[in-house]
């Protein structure tokens, strides 16, 4: 085999391995990296229910935080990845796990844009606003409600105090990372005439933008164009130290 044939064979093997890695990543975590594009961006999906400290039933579609957290660390370090697009269609889930992911997203130097499609309910709200820019499609909705817990709880004042502190954490994060005021957000959270069996509010895409909860109304192309703009306007995340 000639040198040119060896190089071609090695290139083919590399491409095959890359395709296999991408297929495995997409199958396991719903994550895709687009290579033949203007800028190299990573697509991260948050779908179904955010699974936290407890394993959910097999028939429940979940986003596992133990998969997302190391993926975010890898994305932030990988200088070949220029931006991160987060697609959300979630019913919510584990509050602490979702808030942990949101805090990591908010603390990234990597340009980030979120897009809510379908729904960004409950803990999906902090996840949506954690990106540097947020979008929502007109048909999507976001449910805002107080912190709650399923199953048996200890009926003591300390439990109510815990719920209040957890709720304050969410309110503070959302208001710090969006344009909605604390008063507005708490009013939506405690609305009693909106939902039949619950306390809270459902807002559609246009209303979410009017409230300042989400930055812009738009679809996939709008979110990608915005991410490209952030990439081109930004500086190198972790430049090498000067010699």
């Amino acid at each position: 085999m000639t040198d040119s044939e060896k190089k071609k064979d090695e290139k083919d093997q590399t491409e095959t391995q890359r395709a296999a890695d991408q297929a495995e990543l997409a199958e396991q975590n719903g994550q895709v990296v687009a290579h033949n594009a203007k800028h190299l961006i990573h697509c991260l999906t948050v779908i179904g229910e955010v699974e936290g400290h407890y394993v959910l039933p097999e028939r429940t579609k979940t986003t596992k935080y133990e998969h997302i957290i190391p993926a975010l660390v890898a994305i932030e370090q990988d200088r070949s990845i220029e931006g991160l697009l987060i697609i959300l269609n979630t019913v919510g889930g584990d509050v602490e796990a979702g808030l942990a992911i949101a805090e990591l997203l908010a603390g990234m130097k990597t340009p980030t844009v979120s897009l809510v499609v379908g729904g960004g309910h409950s803990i999906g709200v902090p996840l949506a606003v954690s990106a540097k820019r947020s979008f929502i499609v007109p048909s999507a909705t976001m449910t805002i409600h107080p912190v709650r817990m399923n199953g048996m709880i200890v009926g003591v004042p300390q439990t109510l105090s815990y719920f209040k502190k957890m709720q304050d954490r969410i309110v503070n994060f959302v208001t710090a990372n969006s344009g909605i005021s604390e008063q507005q957000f708490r009013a939506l959270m405690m609305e009693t005439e909106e939902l039949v069996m619950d306390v809270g509010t459902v807002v559609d895409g246009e209303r979410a933008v009017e409230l300042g909860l989400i930055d812009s109304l738009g679809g996939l192309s709008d979110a990608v164009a915005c991410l490209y703009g952030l990439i081109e306007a930004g500086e190198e995340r972790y430049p090498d130290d000067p010699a």
Side-chain angles (χ1 to χ4, degrees), residues 103-191:
E103 287 283 9
L104 287 178
L105 287 167
M108 295 178 74
K109 287 187 176 181
T110 304
T112 54
V113 171
S114 65
L115 174 62
V116 180
V117 294
H121 308 303
S122 190
I123 199 60
V125 176
L127 288 168
V129 305
S130 64
K132 292 175 175 59
R133 290 283 297 177
S134 57
F135 285 81
I136 187 170
V137 298
S139 63
T141 58
M142 305 182 79
T143 302
I144 303 164
H145 62 72
V147 173
R148 58 197 179 191
M149 183 178 293
N150 295 325
M152 184 180 297
I153 61 173
V154 180
V156 294
Q158 289 87 338
T159 300
L160 298 178
S161 176
Y162 170 78
F163 281 175
K164 182 182 182 301
K165 289 177 181 177
M166 179 62 74
Q167 191 162 295
D168 288 344
R169 289 166 61 189
I170 293 171
V171 171
N172 292 338
F173 181 88
V174 171
T175 54
N177 289 277
S178 71
I180 195 170
S181 68
E182 180 179 341
Q183 183 179 4
Q184 281 182 310
F185 192 69
R186 287 189 183 275
L188 294 170
M189 185 180 284
M190 303 307 295
E191 175 63 52

Side-chain angles (χ1 to χ4, degrees), residues 4-242:
S4 61
E5 289 175 335
K6 288 181 179 179
K7 290 180 180 179
K8 184 179 183 300
D9 185 56
E10 290 174 357
K11 182 179 179 181
D12 290 342
Q13 290 180 5
T14 301
E15 291 297 328
T16 300
Q17 184 60 47
R18 176 183 292 177
D21 291 344
Q22 289 297 313
E24 183 179 1
L25 195 64
E27 180 180 358
Q28 291 184 355
N29 302 334
Q31 301 172 37
V32 179
V33 179
H35 290 279
N36 187 22
K38 183 179 179 181
H39 292 288
L40 183 59
I41 66 173
H42 188 106
C43 178
L44 179 69
T45 56
V46 179
I47 57 174
E49 189 168 349
V50 177
E51 184 178 272
H53 303 300
Y54 299 97
V55 178
L56 295 173
E58 291 185 2
R59 296 180 64 86
T60 301
K61 180 72 71 174
T62 63
T63 296
K64 301 179 184 295
Y65 88 123
E66 68 267 27
H67 291 170
I68 300 297
I69 288 176
L72 293 178
V73 175
I75 292 165
E76 179 72 352
Q77 294 182 87
D78 191 342
R79 287 184 289 185
S80 69
I81 297 176
E82 299 174 84
L84 174 63
L85 178 64
I86 307 109
I87 306 291
L88 292 119
N89 186 12
T90 176
V91 295
D94 188 289
V95 175
E96 286 201 334
L99 197 55
I101 296 171
E103 287 283 9
L104 287 178
L105 287 167
M108 295 178 74
K109 287 187 176 181
T110 304
T112 54
V113 171
S114 65
L115 174 62
V116 180
V117 294
H121 308 303
S122 190
I123 199 60
V125 176
L127 288 168
V129 305
S130 64
K132 292 175 175 59
R133 290 283 297 177
S134 57
F135 285 81
I136 187 170
V137 298
S139 63
T141 58
M142 305 182 79
T143 302
I144 303 164
H145 62 72
V147 173
R148 58 197 179 191
M149 183 178 293
N150 295 325
M152 184 180 297
I153 61 173
V154 180
V156 294
Q158 289 87 338
T159 300
L160 298 178
S161 176
Y162 170 78
F163 281 175
K164 182 182 182 301
K165 289 177 181 177
M166 179 62 74
Q167 191 162 295
D168 288 344
R169 289 166 61 189
I170 293 171
V171 171
N172 292 338
F173 181 88
V174 171
T175 54
N177 289 277
S178 71
I180 195 170
S181 68
E182 180 179 341
Q183 183 179 4
Q184 281 182 310
F185 192 69
R186 287 189 183 275
L188 294 170
M189 185 180 284
M190 303 307 295
E191 175 63 52
T192 58
E193 298 182 1
E194 175 81 16
L195 304 177
V196 176
M197 300 288 289
D198 202 351
V199 176
T201 307
V202 177
V203 296
D204 61 15
E206 186 173 352
R207 178 64 172 154
V209 175
E210 289 176 358
L211 290 165
L213 187 60
I214 298 296
D215 294 322
S216 304
L217 200 66
L220 179 59
S221 61
D222 302 298
V224 171
C226 178
L227 185 54
Y228 283 176
L230 291 176
I231 292 169
E232 291 164 5
E235 299 178 352
E236 188 177 358
R237 298 201 299 272
Y238 298 105
D240 295 327
D241 294 331

